[in-house]
Amino acid sequence: MAVDLLLGLQWGDEGKGKIVDVFTEKYDIIARFQGGPNAGHTLIFDGQKHVLHTIPSGIFHEDTKNLVGNGVVIDPVIFKKELENLDKFKTDYRKNLYISRKAHLILPTHRLLDAASEASKGKAKIGSTLKGIGPTYMDKTGRNGIRVGDLELENWKEKYRLLADKHESMIKFYDVDVQYNLDELEKEFFEAVELLKSLKFIDSEQYLQLAQESGKTILAEGAQGSLLDIDFGTYPFVTSSNTTAAGACTGLGVAPNKIGDAFGIFKAYTTRVGSGPFPTELFDEDGETMGRVGNEFGATTGRPRRCGWLDLVALRYAVQINGITQLIMMKGDVLSGFKTLKVCTAYKYKGEEITHLPFNIEPENVTPVYTEFSGWKEDLTKMTEASQLPSEFMEYVKFLEDELKTPISVISVGPDRKQTIHR
Ligand code: GDP
Ligand code: IMO
Ligand code: MG
C-alpha cells in the first residue's frame, strides 16, 4: 500500500492533530516524520482536550500503531510528560507506540543553546519555541548527535558527557545571560531516558517496509507547515527540518514512488507564531477578531498567534512543492459574521503583479493584492453536511478550489472530532 501524507500548508497550527485523529480510523499506522516538541497538536473529543508534541495523533485509537520516525527529534523530558498525560486518560501507549532507533535526542544543553542563540540575536531572533530544535538538528547534520539507538549501547553516557561539555563551552561563547543548573536538568533528563528506554525501539524503515508489503495503511503526520520548511520556508524564520512532502521520505525511509495521497491542510485565514514576514498580517479589528474567535494561542508556548487573511500566493506554492492531491480547510467557522472577507491572490513586487512566491516577502518588498468576498452570518459549528453550509461560504470554497486546482475534500467547522464535514 502507498503511504499517504498529511501536511500543514501555512506556518503551522493548521489543525493537523485534529484531522489526523479523525483520519486515524482509516489507517493502521500513523507516523511522525520530522520536528519534535516544537509542535503542539490539539485533539478534542468526548469533552476532553489533548495536546501532543512528539507522539503521533493516532495514539487514542486502540487499533492503530503510532511511530515516531527517524526524522523526529525527541526530548525525553517532554516525552515523559506526554506519556504521563496519556496515563491519566488510561491510554495504553505501551502496546501501540514505536520509536525509531535513528531518531535524534534533544539534550538539556540543546535547549540552553537554543535560548543562548535567541538571546544573542536580540531583535532579529527567530522566535523559536526554545525546545532545542535548531541545535539538535545542527548536531544531527554536524554528525555529533545522540540517537535513540545509542541508548542501547553501554557507553552512551560517555558520548553524552563529551557533547554536553562541548555545548557548555558554546553557551559561554554566546556571552549572554542564560541561567541554568545543569545538575538538576540532567537528573530530570536521565530519569526521563529510563522511561524512554522502556518503550519499543525499532528499525523503523524496515518496519514500514514490511507494513507496506503486507497491505497495511500508513499516514505520515507532518509537523509545522510548508512556510516553516528549512529549504522552502521564509528563511531564516523557519524551523530546522523539511516540513514538506520530501521530509516524509527522509524522515521515515519511504521512497518517493510509494507516496499516495498528499493531504494539504490550511486554515480559512492565516496565522503565524514567532518572527518573520507575513504579507497578509492584520493589525486591525479583523485580525483581533480572528485571534479571539479562533482562540489563536500557541499550543506549545501559549504565545498569541499573529492573524491575517488567506494568502493564495503562499498556498499555491505549498500545494505545488508538496504535490497536494486533496485539501482540507479548517476554521471556516471563525470567519462567520465578517461582512467582507479578503483573499490575497497576487503580490505587487517591484512594480509588477506576480502570483508566485518571490525570494523575499518582507513587507517592504511585497504588497498583497486582494479579492473580496461577501461574508456569511450563520454559525457553522453545528453543521454536519456540506448541503447545510451557506452559499457565501461555498462560493469562498469554490474560488479556492479553482485557484488551487485541487479539491477541498474535508471542511472542519469546530475543534471537536465530530465537527468535520466530508465532501
Ligand atoms: P496543529 O499544530 O496543526 O495540530 O494545530 P494546533 O492544535 O496547534 O492549532 C489548531 C487549533 O485550532 C487548536 O486549538 C484546535 O483545537 C483548533 N481547531 C482545529 N480545527 C478547528 C476548526 O475547524 N474550528 C475551530 N474553531 N477551531 C479548530
Ligand atoms: P505545529 O506542528 C507553529 C515556529 C516557531 C518559530 C519557528 C522556529 O504545532 O504546527 P523552532 O522551535 O522550530 O526552532 O521555531 O517555527 N514553529 C511553529 N509555529 N506551529 C508549529 O508546530 C511550530 N513549530 C515551530 O514559532 O517561529
Ligand atoms: Mg500546533
Side-chain angles (χ1 to χ4, degrees), residues 32 60 153 167 179 242 307 309 326 364 378 385:
R32 271 280 302 270
F60 295 102
L153 308 175
H167 289 161
Q179 304 283 337
N242 281 117
C307 297
W309 298 117
Q326 295 186 44
E364 58 274 25
E378 293 84 343
E385 311 273 339

Side-chain angles (χ1 to χ4, degrees), residues 1-306:
M1 289 290 286
V3 177
D4 293 339
L5 316 179
L6 186 133
L7 308 161
L9 299 183
Q10 296 162 315
W11 278 290
D13 302 329
E14 295 87 353
K16 297 173 291 293
K18 166 182 164 161
I19 294 299
V20 170
D21 171 59
V22 169
F23 279 16
T24 297
E25 57 187 38
K26 293 190 291 187
Y27 291 95
D28 297 309
I29 301 170
I30 305 293
R32 271 280 302 270
F33 60 88
Q34 46 67 238
N38 48 350
H41 295 178
T42 314
L43 287 68
I44 299 181
F45 54 87
D46 301 339
Q48 295 289 348
K49 174 173 157 175
H50 307 269
V51 180
L52 298 169
H53 300 287
T54 327
I55 294 173
S57 299
I59 197 70
F60 295 102
H61 294 247
E62 236 188 276
D63 301 325
T64 305
K65 303 291 180 205
N66 288 264
L67 169 69
V68 180
N70 58 278
V72 176
V73 289
I74 301 173
D75 183 333
V77 177
I78 297 179
F79 205 78
K80 179 166 176 265
K81 288 190 187 133
E82 285 191 70
L83 295 176
E84 285 165 355
N85 267 331
L86 293 180
D87 274 334
K88 275 192 223 148
F89 291 96
K90 307 217 174 340
T91 305
D92 184 9
Y93 56 80
R94 291 196 178 274
K95 189 174 96 196
N96 286 335
L97 188 56
Y98 296 82
I99 301 172
S100 170
R101 287 199 173 88
K102 294 198 170 88
H104 280 245
L105 292 179
I106 302 178
L107 313 185
T109 43
H110 281 131
R111 267 185 274 136
L112 299 172
L113 276 171
D114 201 357
S117 166
E118 284 287 77
S120 75
K121 285 190 162 130
K123 275 199 182 135
K125 71 175 183 185
I126 308 293
S128 125
T129 58
L130 301 179
K131 303 295 174 200
I133 304 295
T136 306
Y137 279 114
M138 279 164 71
D139 270 339
K140 174 177 177 174
T141 52
R143 295 154 298 177
N144 300 310
I146 297 184
R147 299 186 291 176
V148 165
D150 289 328
L151 301 177
E152 294 172 322
L153 308 175
E154 297 237 316
N155 69 343
W156 83 269
K157 282 196 180 160
E158 287 163 33
K159 205 171 158 186
Y160 168 88
R161 189 75 271 144
L162 281 175
L163 190 56
D165 286 350
K166 182 171 131 189
H167 289 161
E168 278 212 283
S169 52
M170 288 164 74
I171 293 163
K172 286 197 192 94
F173 163 82
Y174 278 110
D175 196 23
V176 290
D177 184 28
V178 177
Q179 304 283 337
Y180 62 93
N181 178 332
L182 193 54
D183 289 342
E184 266 176 31
L185 293 174
E186 287 187 342
K187 184 169 174 282
E188 183 185 46
F189 176 76
F190 289 124
E191 268 172 30
V193 163
E194 286 312 308
L195 177 59
L196 192 65
K197 281 170 76 174
S198 72
L199 300 178
K200 295 191 192 86
F201 296 170
I202 61 166
D203 298 326
S204 54
E205 58 279 36
Q206 171 76 353
Y207 171 77
L208 289 178
Q209 181 64 36
L210 293 175
Q212 287 174 76
E213 282 168 16
S214 63
K216 296 264 192 289
T217 50
I218 304 167
L219 178 68
E221 172 180 3
Q224 290 79 54
S226 297
L227 301 175
L228 289 170
D229 183 278
I230 183 72
D231 283 281
F232 301 107
T234 47
Y235 193 90
F237 301 101
V238 293
T239 191
S240 300
S241 64
N242 281 117
T243 61
T244 42
C249 297
T250 57
L252 291 174
V254 171
N257 63 347
K258 296 287 162 29
I259 303 291
D261 260 314
F263 299 104
I265 178 163
F266 69 101
K267 281 179 187 163
Y269 48 99
T270 310
T271 64
R272 167 161 213 174
V273 59
S275 326
F278 179 178
T280 61
E281 183 168 10
L282 290 168
F283 300 94
D284 60 6
E285 214 175 288
D286 284 340
E288 191 272 323
T289 305
M290 286 171 190
R292 181 172 35 80
V293 180
N295 193 23
E296 295 294 357
F297 293 92
T300 295
T301 58
R303 292 178 291 178
R305 297 177 183 142
R306 302 152 63 191

